[in-house]
Structure formats: C-alpha cells, structure tokens
C-alpha cells in the first residue's frame, strides 16, 4: 500500500498501535489532528476513547458533570457495567471522582466488579482537592527567561514556605 506521498507503507498492524489506520498516510492520525487543533495528541486519544461510553455517561461529560479523565477510565468498562455505574450515579446523585473511576476500572479488569462494589466505591468520601494555576502571563515577568518550569515552581514554593513561617510566627505572638 502507498501513502499520499507515494511511499510504500506496511499494512501490518502492530499490536502496539493505538488505533487501526494510525499510520496509513505515514503520520499518526492523532498527531495530525493535534497539529490542526488546540489539543495534544494524547487529548485526541482521550476524545476517541470517549466514543466507547454509553450515551448517559457521554452526556454527563458534555455537561461537565463528570471529569474527562474519570470518563476515560469508565470507557474501558463494557456497556452493561457502564449502565450499572450510571444507576449508582443516579441513586447517589454524584459522579465518580478520578480515583473512584480508576478503582471501578481496576475491579472490572479483575472481573470483580458488581453493582455492590460500584455502590461501595461511589459511597467512599471524596478527598477535596485544591488546584491553583497561575498563568504564564502573570508569572513570567518575575522570572528570567532562562528559568525552567521546575526552577519557577521551586522558587514559588520556597517563597510560600517563607510566607507561611512568618505567618505562623506572627500568630504565636
């Protein structure tokens, strides 16, 4: 078989290829799509993976009621298991966290997933996470252009630790 440039391309599908047809034109299709969008190749792979979700779960992703990463984990479940997860979501009125979705996926891989297991996992208390993001525009003016991301993070962390120590000392007085 020949690609668009006329070069001979093997049609043997390697078991490590993420999607059939990935190399048909000599370029990984996920990378090709990523180059033409604002998404990374990995993000394109996640979108493709979401096509394995049942409609109610996909709707939850579209409505941002479930995190994309959690949805990707659930996409590895069969449709019957996904329907069971959806029943528990409806009953508990809560979507699974990423950690819960990973647990559900792992139980499924082990062949130990049942409605009772799903319910038990979904009833676990979710750990609250705080994520703070500072845009490059806001932070770049304070650091030399030669600083790496790691150097910036290390410096910011040291500054925060110093601020925290001063704060603790002023509260002790």
């Amino acid at each position: 078989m020949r690609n668009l440039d006329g070069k001979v391309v093997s049609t043997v599908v390697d078991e490590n290829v993420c999607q059939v047809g990935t190399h048909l034109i000599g370029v990984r299709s996920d990378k090709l799509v990523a180059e033409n969008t604002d998404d990374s190749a990995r993000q394109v792979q996640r979108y493709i993976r979401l096509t394995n979700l049942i409609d109610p779960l996909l709707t939850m992703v579209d409505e941002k009621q479930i995190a994309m990463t959690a949805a990707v984990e659930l996409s590895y479940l069969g449709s019957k298991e996904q329907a069971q997860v959806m029943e528990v979501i409806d009953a508990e009125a809560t979507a699974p966290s990423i950690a819960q979705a990973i647990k559900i996926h792992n139980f499924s891989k082990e062949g130990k997933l049942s409605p009772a297991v799903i319910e038990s996992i979904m009833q676990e208390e979710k750990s609250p996470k705080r994520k703070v993001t500072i845009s490059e525009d806001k932070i770049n003016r304070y650091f030399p252009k030669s600083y790496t991301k790691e150097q910036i993070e290390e410096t910011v962390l040291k500054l925060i630790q110093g601020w925290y120590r001063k704060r603790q000392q002023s509260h002790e007085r």
Side-chain angles (χ1 to χ4, degrees), residues 59-70:
T59 299
M60 289 185 74
V61 175
D62 290 341
E63 295 174 355
K64 303 199 182 321
Q65 295 172 343
I66 185 170
M68 177 125 172
T69 309

Side-chain angles (χ1 to χ4, degrees), residues 74-125:
L74 297 177
S75 75
Y76 289 96
L77 306 178
S79 57
K80 180 180 175 186
E81 290 175 324
Q82 289 183 34
Q84 292 171 341
V85 169
M86 195 64 215
E87 287 176 23
V88 175
I89 288 172
D90 288 339
E92 297 294 322
T94 185
S97 66
I98 295 168
Q100 290 170 322
I102 290 169
K103 280 185 183 181
I104 291 169
H105 179 197
N106 288 337
F107 272 95
S108 176
K109 280 194 294 191
E110 296 168 5
K112 298 179 179 177
L113 191 64
S114 68
V117 169
I118 296 168
E119 188 172 341
S120 174
I121 292 170
M122 292 290 290
Q123 289 177 345
E124 293 174 0
E125 190 168 326

Side-chain angles (χ1 to χ4, degrees), residues 131 133-134 136 139-140 143-157:
K131 181 177 180 179
T133 305
I134 303 172
E136 278 188 61
I139 207 162
N140 277 346
F143 293 93
K145 291 183 180 190
S146 62
Y147 266 45
T148 64
K149 177 183 174 194
E150 290 77 20
Q151 289 173 308
I152 291 172
E153 286 179 5
E154 185 179 323
T155 304
V156 169
L157 190 57

Side-chain angles (χ1 to χ4, degrees), residues 21-37:
T22 301
H23 293 306
L24 289 181
I25 60 170
V27 179
R28 288 184 54 103
S29 56
D30 52 359
K31 289 184 181 176
L32 186 62
V33 170
E35 287 173 5
N36 294 301
T37 64

